[in-house]
Amino acid sequence: MELAYYSDYAVRLVNTEEPGRGKDSLTTVGAVRDLFGTNQDAGRRATDADLTRFRGVRARLRAVFEAADGGDEELAVNLLNSLLLEFPVSPQVSGHNHRDDDGRPLWHLHLADHPSNATAGYAAIAAMGLAFHLTEYGVDRLGLCEAAPCRNAYLDTSTNRSRRYCSDRCATRANVAAYRARKRLEAEERTERTDRGARTGRTAESAQDSTAPTER
């Protein structure tokens, strides 16, 4: 499994909480296990104790994305390094019994699960995956959705570093909101011009009246 795959572990965990909406889906052991996806053996190790630990790791991963999104590269790297030190990975060469057309194993680097608890295993994989993405593509490829109040984390893989939203849904919502805001502004400007014209007209009429000859 390529290291790039593991970066999604960090995104999945961070996005279990939406602070702007007051939502948190990480409330049960089942939700913790779901984060592991197809790695069910690792997920089965999760217990009630992992709920609190997972939330702690989630806050630290979000802090990495917030620092990167805010342009503070040094802080983002320092925060990520602290996770890497606390949750070291166990790399292994694996083939998962997959073979090429000639029957040779398709060897690749695999991050083994940490044996102590589910949180340590997940945090190690998420931090290493995020570190790979950061060093391979740049700190500015870690972002937070600009569609308020979303602020979900995402990894920018666009060719021109142009991604600003976590999903097409948020992009559409933001574009619609921007369009409506422009229309409101245009309507306000038209109203202001009309009112200004009306005021100018009234002023001109008043001036004309004041200069008109008085009948005797």
Side-chain angles (χ1 to χ4, degrees):
M1 189 175 294
E2 296 181 358
L3 287 178
Y5 167 85
Y6 291 113
S7 59
D8 191 52
Y9 273 55
V11 173
R12 288 207 302 268
L13 177 54
V14 170
N15 291 346
T16 59
E17 182 182 29
E18 296 181 71
R21 294 189 174 104
K23 294 182 179 180
D24 186 349
S25 61
L26 196 61
T27 57
T28 65
V29 176
V32 170
R33 290 171 178 166
D34 288 342
L35 287 169
F36 286 89
T38 57
N39 193 355
Q40 308 221 346
D41 287 340
R44 276 194 284 268
R45 291 203 303 267
T47 66
D48 288 333
D50 284 297
L51 270 173
T52 300
R53 291 195 290 254
F54 259 75
R55 291 191 190 115
V57 172
R58 179 179 64 187
R60 295 170 66 183
L61 286 170
R62 175 170 282 278
V64 175
F65 278 93
E66 289 175 343
D69 189 67
D72 194 336
E73 295 194 11
E74 298 256 343
L75 177 58
V77 170
N78 289 338
L79 291 171
L80 186 53
N81 275 336
S82 70
L83 283 164
L84 290 169
L85 286 171
E86 186 173 345
F87 302 104
V89 298
S90 302
Q92 293 180 350
V93 176
S94 175
H96 291 304
N97 297 320
H98 297 157
R99 297 182 178 274
D100 62 18
D101 295 337
D102 297 325
R104 292 175 299 188
L106 294 172
W107 301 115
H108 57 268
L109 193 61
H110 173 78
L111 300 184
D113 298 315
H114 199 287
S116 61
N117 59 68
T119 304
Y122 194 98
I125 291 173
M128 187 61 196
L130 200 57
F132 172 81
H133 193 94
L134 184 151
T135 54
E136 185 73 10
Y137 302 107
V139 178
D140 58 343
R141 294 288 190 151
L142 278 59
L144 292 173
C145 186
E146 292 185 14
C150 178
R151 304 301 284 168
N152 270 352
Y154 65 82
L155 299 172
D156 186 359
T157 56
S158 63
T159 56
N160 57 355
R161 300 172 184 265
S162 61
R163 185 170 179 180
R164 297 166 56 201
Y165 306 105
C166 68
S167 65
D168 290 340
R169 179 182 179 184
C170 276
T172 299
R173 189 172 71 248
N175 289 335
V176 169
Y179 172 80
R180 289 174 176 169
R182 286 196 303 272
K183 288 300 181 182
R184 282 196 300 271
L185 181 59
E186 291 171 2
E188 290 170 0
E189 289 174 345
R190 283 196 300 270
T191 300
E192 184 179 349
R193 285 196 299 269
T194 300
D195 291 344
R196 188 164 56 243
R199 288 194 300 270
T200 302
R202 286 194 296 271
T203 301
E205 289 175 0
S206 298
Q208 188 177 15
D209 292 341
S210 66
T211 57
T214 305
E215 294 183 2
R216 295 177 182 245

